[in-house]
Structure formats: C-alpha cells, structure tokens
Amino acid sequence: MHHKTYSWFLKGMLLLGLVFLYLPLVVLVIYSFNSSRLVTIWGGLSTQWYSKLLHNEQILDAVWLSIRIALCSAAAAVILGTLAGYALARIKRFRGSTLFTGMVSAPMVMPDIITGLSMLLLIIQVQMFLQNSGLDVLYFERGFFTIWLGHTTLCMAYVTVIIRSRLTELDQSLEEAAKDLGARPLKVFFLITLPSIAPAIASGFLLSITLSLDDLVIASFLSGPGSSTLPMIIFSKIKLGLDPQMNVLATIIIALVGTLAIGINYFMMRQNTRREREMVEAYYQNP
C-alpha cells in the first residue's frame, strides 16, 4: 500500500512538473491563432498574423541572421569543445591543466554582461591595432563575425563539460585494444572514440544552438549596425507592447526545435540499438 501511494505521488509530481513547463507554451501556441491585436483578449481563430509575419522583413532578416550565427557557433563550439574535453579527459594532468580547466569553464559561471563587455573591449583594441598597423585587409566591423566569436566562446564551455563527462564514463578497453593491435591514435579516435561520444556531441550541438538563439546580452554588446539578432528585435518590440506576431514567431520556433530534437533523439536511439545488437551478435559469434 505504501509503495502504491509513493508511486501515485511520483506520478502526480511528474504531471505537475510537465504542466508547469508546457502549459505556457500551449497557451502561446493557441493565442498565435488569435484574431485580436490584443494578445490577452481572445477574438476568434485567425491566421492573419502568420501572413503578416511572413511579410515582415525586419523579423525575417533577424531570424535568418540568428539561425546562421547559431549553426556556425554550434559547429565551431562542438569542434573546439570536443578537442578540449578530450584533452581534459584523456591527458589528465599536464602543465597548465588547472589554468586551462578554469579558462574553459569561466564563460559558464561568468555573468553574460561581463563576457560581452570584455569581448567588446578586446574587439575594439584589435580593430584599433589593425587600423594603426595598416592591416586594413584584416579589418572587420562588428556584426556577424563578432557575435559568432562571442557565442562560440560561450557555447564551447558547455560542450567541453558534456564531452568530458561522457569520455570519463566511457570504457577505455576498446581504445586500448585497438592501440595494442597497431591502430594509430587518430584512427582510434575516429573509429572508436568519436562514434561512442556521438550522442554527447549531438546534445552539445543542440544545446549550443539553443544558447545562441536565446542570447541577448552578449549579442547586444557585439552587434553592429544592421546586425540585430532575433532576441534583440523581440526585446525592442516587447518594450513598446506585446505584438501578436511574436506569438506566431515563438510557435514556429517551438515547432522547428521540437521536430529537430525529436528527430535527433530518434536517430541516436536507433544508432545505440544497432550498436548494442552488433555487439551481442559479435559476442555470440566469437564466444
């Protein structure tokens, strides 16, 4: 009886948590079809705001810029974070390892406003140096490139932690066996280590995209004329009042992110199932 009560309690807490997380999203999606300009008053079903959003060049340009920055930042963060996580998990101790660990983890614990301000000052100094040195070919304006640098720095810290945790839990017997059989370290990494940490890499990639699309503070410091990201546009419009097009935009983002997350999780589950089946078959074929 006690076990049954405990089970119902857990189910109730789970249901309460899911309602707390997803009920606001459901309400937002419903009100994206509201015909009224006042987003808090229901005026009937309508798709007029979807049509207006598709013709809003300011928002569409911001969406396209944010997506490009998010994808590029996530790709760079995954590459750099995987290398950093591999070094921290496999090399263990090396000269400067403590400093390196602290520098990699710093963007995670440092306030975004400090990160954005420090990077802005650094970029200004670099721009002044390039101008004074006559290296006008290398000169760059604040915009896509500078926001990409800031987001890559932020996302790399999270990817490093994810990859390092996965490598720490990973059984190294397969890697050691491959090395004993004469495989070079690079081949061992691409054929054994990389497939084993692929789910962690995918998780880091998705997390990086989310962090980049969600960032407002760092992008505000590093953006330039004509390079406003989607959070910056939304924040500027919200200060003037709630716009029904924001509900539409949020609904589309929820649909895209949800589809992407479900698709990647399904793919990873299939890969893990196939890998486990192959390992079982190899075990019974070579007892």
Side-chain angles (χ1 to χ4, degrees), residues 90-284:
R90 289 291 183 263
I91 302 178
K92 302 295 183 183
R93 300 292 299 179
F94 54 90
R95 179 173 296 181
S97 60
T98 303
L99 178 62
F100 180 71
T101 303
M103 292 177 64
V104 168
S105 304
M108 295 178 56
V109 298
M110 190 177 299
D112 288 348
I113 190 171
I114 302 299
T115 302
L117 180 60
S118 60
M119 294 202 68
L120 174 61
L121 295 176
L122 174 62
I123 289 171
I124 291 176
Q125 293 298 321
V126 172
Q127 289 176 329
M128 292 176 59
F129 172 78
L130 294 176
Q131 285 182 329
N132 297 332
S133 302
L135 300 175
D136 296 335
V137 179
L138 301 178
Y139 183 82
F140 56 89
E141 296 287 347
R142 278 186 290 163
F144 176 90
F145 179 68
T146 53
I147 299 175
W148 171 77
L149 287 177
H151 286 185
T152 300
T153 303
L154 175 66
C155 298
M156 174 189 168
Y158 290 89
V159 176
T160 301
V161 172
I162 294 174
I163 299 299
R164 183 184 183 184
S165 301
R166 175 56 181 161
L167 286 170
T168 303
E169 300 172 354
L170 192 64
D171 186 10
Q172 300 185 38
S173 59
L174 292 177
E175 297 179 6
E176 295 172 353
K179 293 178 181 179
D180 292 339
L181 294 174
R184 296 183 177 180
L186 193 62
K187 188 174 184 180
V188 172
F189 176 79
F190 281 104
L191 294 183
I192 297 178
T193 307
L194 193 60
S196 300
I197 63 175
I201 293 176
S203 300
F205 185 80
L206 290 177
L207 179 61
S208 298
I209 291 178
T210 302
L211 291 172
S212 178
L213 291 175
D214 186 58
D215 175 69
L216 171 64
V217 179
I218 296 178
S220 298
F221 278 100
L222 303 181
S223 64
S227 59
S228 298
T229 61
L230 182 59
M232 296 172 61
I233 295 295
I234 293 177
F235 183 72
S236 64
K237 288 184 175 296
I238 289 297
K239 290 190 297 183
L240 301 176
L242 296 176
D243 189 342
Q245 296 184 55
M246 297 299 101
N247 291 342
V248 175
L249 180 62
T251 300
I252 295 175
I253 293 175
I254 291 172
L256 292 177
V257 173
T259 303
L260 181 63
I262 293 173
I264 291 181
N265 286 331
Y266 176 75
F267 175 77
M268 290 192 301
M269 290 177 61
R270 287 194 58 183
Q271 291 293 104
N272 291 333
T273 302
R274 186 176 65 180
R275 189 179 299 111
E276 291 176 359
R277 184 170 60 249
E278 291 175 351
M279 292 177 63
V280 171
E281 293 176 353
Y283 174 80
Y284 282 107

Side-chain angles (χ1 to χ4, degrees), residues 11-24:
K11 292 179 180 178
M13 291 298 99
L14 176 61
L15 179 61
L16 183 63
L18 292 176
V19 170
F20 178 78
L21 289 174
Y22 292 104
L23 182 60

